[in-house]
Amino acid sequence: MGMSVNTNVAAMNAYRNLSQTNDSMSKSLERLSSGFRINKASDDAAGLAISEGLRSQIGGMTQAVRNTQDGTSVVQTAEGALNETTSILQRMRDLSVQASNDGSLNDDAKASIQKEMGQLKSELSRIADTTTFNGTKLLDGRYDNKFQVGANAGETISVKIGSAASAEGLKVDGVDVTKKGTYDFASTAAAGKAAVTTAAADNAASVLTITAKGSDKFDSTGTVAAFQGLSGSISFGGKSFDLGSVDYTGVTATSGTGGALEKLNTAAKAALGLATDPFAAPTATTLTFTVSEAVSGFTEASGVPVGSAAGTPTVQQLAAATPTFAAASGASDAIKAIDAAIKTVSSVRADLGAISNRFEHTVNNLNVAIENTTASESRIRDTDMASEMTKFTRSQVLTQAGTSMLAQANQSTQSILKLLG
């Protein structure tokens, strides 16, 4: 090869290798200083795309853990309030059992018990109305929401609290231990019984009038209630009519078109096959049953059947053929209503406990998934510091060697000057 000044191929070769070594060292410095193997798309295009997808999953799952923990907080808030609701209901039940002890309590004592019952019912409603999470009511019976517990759309858990925990929602708002409970028909007034009198008793008609005991009333504002609490049956002419079979939903009127009396009259008339209404309008303290035609099927005390030929039955026979009139509430009925409320609240609490356990398992699963996905993303994107340091050291040595060789190559042309001397 000839000697020339214009082209120094050896220097060019050394320069090219030195440039490549500098590029390699620069990348190593970037990776070592950032900790990432991929700092820009050109470092590893496919790896960048994969790692960004994994990062989206990691971020989504990390937020999902927080969402799930929020769900746990909601459930625990509701369950904590229901725990106190249960305590109140248990106290109300204890009071109802106490009020059922007629042998040792007078009306004033029961009234005092009812005062505490009233306060407890108000507290039930207050707790239900004020138990909220971030402004959303939890115990009004309308809570039905979803929690995002995954990184992808549709990965949700629903929480529904469908039972209102107020006194009204638990159906204990009407409990009243001062009410008398059950009344038996009898021909004379007796303890715990309503008096039966007659307004007329002849072959044309028999009228059975039931008079409420003491201050009780048969209207919607009284302690016996307006028909909603009727139970037992009335018998006419061998036919029986179940007082509890009439649907009084939404009815509060005691008379007039569409009222409770008309419903009772119409239903009883059809069931008994009577030509006329068997019930007359009640006053505040009386409820009247009228039979305006001859009926059969009743029996005298002597055992002789009473038919139409023998006239209509007497008031005493009507009373004997008529089992029971039960009031809507009372201490005994309060126990039943409160038992049902406790069962409802316990069922809701059991549901919330199950959901809380589910949330706990969800968080555990998400944390495991985050750990494994992060490890995968790290393998793709993070720098292997030991390996990269080895490359960097190699590049440093090569840079020093390349620089020295480039200097030697540049000096090699100096020998041509001797030829020119």
Side-chain angles (χ1 to χ4, degrees):
M1 179 178 178
M3 300 178 69
S4 64
V5 175
N6 291 330
T7 305
N8 189 341
V9 176
M12 293 173 62
N13 182 268
Y15 175 74
R16 177 176 58 81
N17 287 320
L18 181 59
S19 296
Q20 290 176 349
T21 301
N22 282 332
D23 289 341
S24 178
M25 187 170 66
S26 177
K27 288 181 180 179
S28 292
L29 281 170
E30 184 178 31
R31 290 169 181 171
L32 289 168
S33 61
S34 67
F36 292 116
R37 185 181 68 86
I38 303 174
N39 291 284
K40 50 185 178 294
S42 60
D43 290 338
D44 186 347
L48 178 69
I50 295 170
S51 66
E52 288 295 344
L54 292 174
R55 280 187 172 185
S56 296
Q57 291 295 301
I58 293 167
M61 288 187 290
T62 301
Q63 182 60 51
V65 168
R66 293 193 288 270
N67 293 349
T68 306
Q69 290 169 337
D70 286 344
T72 299
S73 297
V74 168
V75 169
Q76 288 176 342
T77 300
E79 204 277 327
L82 290 177
N83 180 58
E84 195 57 37
T85 296
T86 301
S87 297
I88 292 173
L89 290 172
Q90 294 288 7
R91 174 58 180 165
M92 290 176 67
R93 192 183 192 282
D94 291 344
L95 291 172
S96 299
V97 173
Q98 181 183 11
S100 298
N101 195 31
D102 290 329
S104 64
L105 297 176
N106 58 24
D107 290 343
D108 289 340
K110 288 189 177 184
S112 297
I113 292 174
Q114 185 59 33
K115 287 180 181 179
E116 183 176 350
M117 293 283 277
Q119 292 295 326
L120 293 174
K121 288 188 287 184
S122 297
E123 183 61 15
L124 282 178
S125 297
R126 190 197 68 80
I127 290 174
D129 189 56
T130 59
T131 301
T132 61
F133 189 90
N134 197 24
T136 302
K137 291 185 177 182
L138 302 180
L139 301 180
D140 62 354
R142 293 178 293 191
Y143 188 86
D144 187 2
N145 289 303
K146 295 178 179 179
F147 289 88
Q148 180 71 28
V149 296
N152 303 311
E155 295 180 352
T156 61
I157 291 178
S158 296
V159 176
K160 182 177 182 180
I161 308 175
S163 297
S166 62
E168 182 179 3
L170 294 173
K171 299 180 180 178
V172 295
D173 56 321
V175 298
D176 188 346
V177 297
T178 63
K179 291 186 178 180
K180 300 299 181 181
T182 299
Y183 287 82
D184 296 326
F185 290 157
S187 58
T188 58
K193 296 185 177 182
V196 176
T197 59
T198 179
D202 53 38
N203 288 338
S206 287
V207 179
L208 175 64
T209 300
I210 303 171
T211 305
K213 180 187 175 186
S215 61
D216 292 341
K217 298 179 184 298
F218 287 110
D219 56 24
S220 58
T221 60
T223 57
V224 177
F227 302 113
Q228 285 89 339
L230 287 171
S231 64
S233 61
I234 301 289
S235 297
F236 293 99
K239 296 180 180 180
S240 179
F241 170 63
D242 182 8
L243 293 172
S245 66
V246 181
D247 179 13
Y248 302 109
T249 303
V251 176
T252 56
T254 58
S255 62
T257 303
L261 176 65
E262 183 171 318
K263 280 201 170 192
L264 194 63
N265 285 348
T266 302
K269 178 180 174 182
L272 298 171
L274 299 176
T276 58
D277 293 338
F279 297 91
T283 63
T285 58
T286 63
L287 184 60
T288 303
F289 304 88
T290 304
V291 182
S292 57
E293 62 179 35
V295 293
S296 61
F298 295 99
T299 304
E300 297 269 15
S302 62
V304 179
V306 178
S308 58
T312 56
T314 65
V315 134
Q316 286 75 17
Q317 290 168 334
L318 285 173
T322 306
T324 305
F325 170 75
S329 189
S332 230
D333 292 316
I335 294 173
K336 296 176 184 177
I338 294 168
D339 280 342
I342 291 174
K343 183 177 180 180
T344 297
V345 173
S346 296
S347 177
V348 173
R349 291 181 66 186
D351 290 340
L352 292 175
I355 293 173
S356 182
N357 287 338
R358 182 180 179 183
F359 279 150
E360 183 179 344
H361 290 299
T362 300
V363 169
N364 292 339
N365 179 65
L366 285 170
N367 284 333
V368 170
I370 290 171
E371 180 182 341
N372 292 325
T373 306
T374 301
S376 179
E377 193 268 345
S378 175
R379 283 190 292 270
I380 295 172
R381 195 146 189 166
D382 288 347
T383 298
D384 183 341
M385 301 297 284
S387 174
E388 199 61 46
M389 193 64 197
T390 301
K391 293 179 182 178
F392 177 72
T393 302
R394 174 179 176 277
S395 297
Q396 272 189 317
V397 173
L398 288 175
T399 297
Q400 293 172 3
T403 302
S404 176
M405 291 305 100
L406 179 58
Q408 292 294 327
N410 287 333
Q411 288 294 328
S412 64
T413 57
Q414 296 296 321
S415 60
I416 297 175
L417 293 175
K418 295 179 180 181
L419 297 175
L420 297 175

